[in-house]
């Protein structure tokens, strides 16, 4: 079983749609969770951290369910510029190297 | 604010040639530093990480090596490139757990070097 699993997609949605991505992780002791965005042929960029209480940043909402080891990202009112690959990222949090475990990514394509 | 630089942006090298990629970080001190590789259409693979000057940990055995001669400088090298070394090489930094007083910090990536070995 992969440490961080995501549906690779692609998710093809029209502009204005709401889309949700899910991610599961295997290490129940994981401490920190993030969503990164990677545009084609570019570096990953931190989109948002994910907190147990859930957090929102504009059109983006992230949720964490520790009991089910499940993380989600909701994008409302999709824009063409949201087209990218979204990486679910987990930090076990118990290593001095501060290493991250990356999911394979979910590709989103927003169409006009 | 912190910035991370990588160069060159693109590189085409023949098989068997040497490699040197450089990464520098500005605006922070004592960062953890990382080298990743991303093959076309694939996920990120951690190659090396460093928690301090001269301290290198290797995650994947291969013909690559890394060095950290200064606090904010990280170098990826190879003596002889293979075709399979082609890919997108990304350097990243994070605050060390010692500095933040907590584990689980995010990482920030440089713009990457796209390497093609022919």
């Amino acid at each position: 079983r992969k440490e961080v699993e995501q549906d690779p997609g692609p998710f093809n949605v029209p502009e204005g749609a709401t889309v949700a991505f899910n991610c599961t992780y295997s290490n129940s002791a994981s401490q920190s969770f993030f969503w990164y965005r990677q545009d084609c042929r570019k570096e990953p960029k931190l989109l948002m951290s994910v907190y147990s209480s859930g957090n929102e940043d504009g059109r983006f909402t992230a949720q964490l369910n520790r009991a089910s080891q499940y993380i989600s990202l909701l994008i409302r009112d999709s824009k063409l510029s949201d087209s990218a690959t979204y990486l679910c990222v987990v930090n076990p949090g118990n290593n001095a190297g501060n290493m991250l475990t990356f999911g394979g990514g979910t590709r989103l394509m927003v169409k006009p | 604010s912190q910035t991370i630089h990588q160069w060159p942006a693109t590189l085409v090298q023949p098989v068997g040639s040497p490699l040197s990629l450089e990464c520098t970080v500005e605006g922070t001190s004592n960062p953890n530093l990382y080298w990743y590789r991303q093959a076309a259409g694939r996920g990120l693979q951690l190659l090396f990480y460093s928690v301090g000057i001269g301290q290198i940990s290797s995650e994947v055995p291969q013909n690559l090596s890394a060095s950290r001669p200064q606090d904010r400088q990280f170098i990826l090298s190879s003596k002889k490139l293979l075709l399979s070394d082609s890919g997108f090489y990304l350097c990243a930094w994070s605050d060390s757990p010692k500095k933040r007083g907590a584990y689980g910090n995010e990482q920030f990536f440089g713009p990457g070097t796209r390497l093609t070995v022919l």
Side-chain angles (χ1 to χ4, degrees):
Chain A
R1 181 186 174 187
K2 291 183 181 177
E3 291 184 68
V4 179
E5 291 206 63
Q6 296 182 250
D7 181 343
F11 284 57
N12 294 295
V13 303
E15 270 188 293
T18 295
V19 61
F21 306 139
N22 302 320
C23 164
T24 57
Y25 60 95
S26 60
N27 183 352
S28 60
S30 296
Q31 302 269 335
S32 304
F33 310 88
F34 311 98
W35 283 101
Y36 279 71
R37 169 195 170 128
Q38 186 173 23
D39 291 286
C40 188
R41 300 178 70 82
K42 297 286 189 180
E43 75 275 24
K45 293 186 178 177
L46 180 65
L47 180 65
M48 57 199 305
S49 301
V50 187
Y51 304 117
S52 295
S53 55
N55 48 301
E56 187 175 309
D57 182 1
R59 297 182 293 108
F60 299 84
T61 300
Q63 294 276 352
L64 168 65
N65 184 321
R66 284 189 184 271
S68 301
Q69 294 177 213
Y70 168 99
I71 307 159
S72 66
L73 177 68
L74 183 76
I75 305 176
R76 291 180 298 278
D77 188 23
S78 299
K79 311 290 185 190
L80 294 176
S81 57
D82 293 334
S83 297
T85 296
Y86 291 83
L87 305 172
C88 177
V89 183
V90 174
N91 189 323
N94 60 353
N95 64 94
N98 192 50
M99 289 173 285
L100 300 178
T101 303
F102 288 81
T106 298
R107 191 171 171 208
L108 171 66
M109 298 180 70
V110 182
K111 302 290 177 69
Chain B
S1 65
Q2 301 86 4
T3 54
I4 178 168
H5 305 278
Q6 283 187 250
W7 63 92
T10 59
L11 192 59
V12 180
Q13 292 284 96
V15 169
S17 64
L19 174 73
S20 181
L21 303 181
E22 190 162 342
C23 169
T24 59
V25 181
E26 295 177 356
T28 188
S29 59
N30 304 312
N32 282 8
L33 296 172
Y34 310 85
W35 279 112
Y36 290 87
R37 177 170 59 202
Q38 188 174 36
R42 306 294 295 274
L44 288 163
Q45 179 187 35
L46 179 63
L47 301 175
F48 301 95
Y49 71 93
S50 171
V51 299
I53 296 173
Q55 300 179 65
I56 308 295
S57 297
S58 173
E59 289 294 297
V60 182
Q62 60 224 321
N63 68 320
L64 300 171
S65 62
S67 63
R68 183 170 178 175
Q70 300 180 47
D71 181 47
R72 289 170 290 174
Q73 183 185 30
F74 206 21
I75 297 171
L76 183 70
S77 303
S78 174
K79 292 182 180 177
K80 286 187 177 181
L81 284 168
L82 307 172
L83 286 174
S84 57
D85 291 325
S86 294
F88 190 37
Y89 287 82
L90 291 155
C91 181
W93 75 273
S94 75
D95 279 329
S96 72
K98 287 182 184 177
K99 185 174 183 179
R100 288 264 285 258
Y103 289 105
N105 305 322
E106 62 276 9
Q107 293 178 13
F108 300 96
F109 288 83
T113 295
R114 196 160 299 278
L115 171 67
T116 303
V117 182
L118 300 174

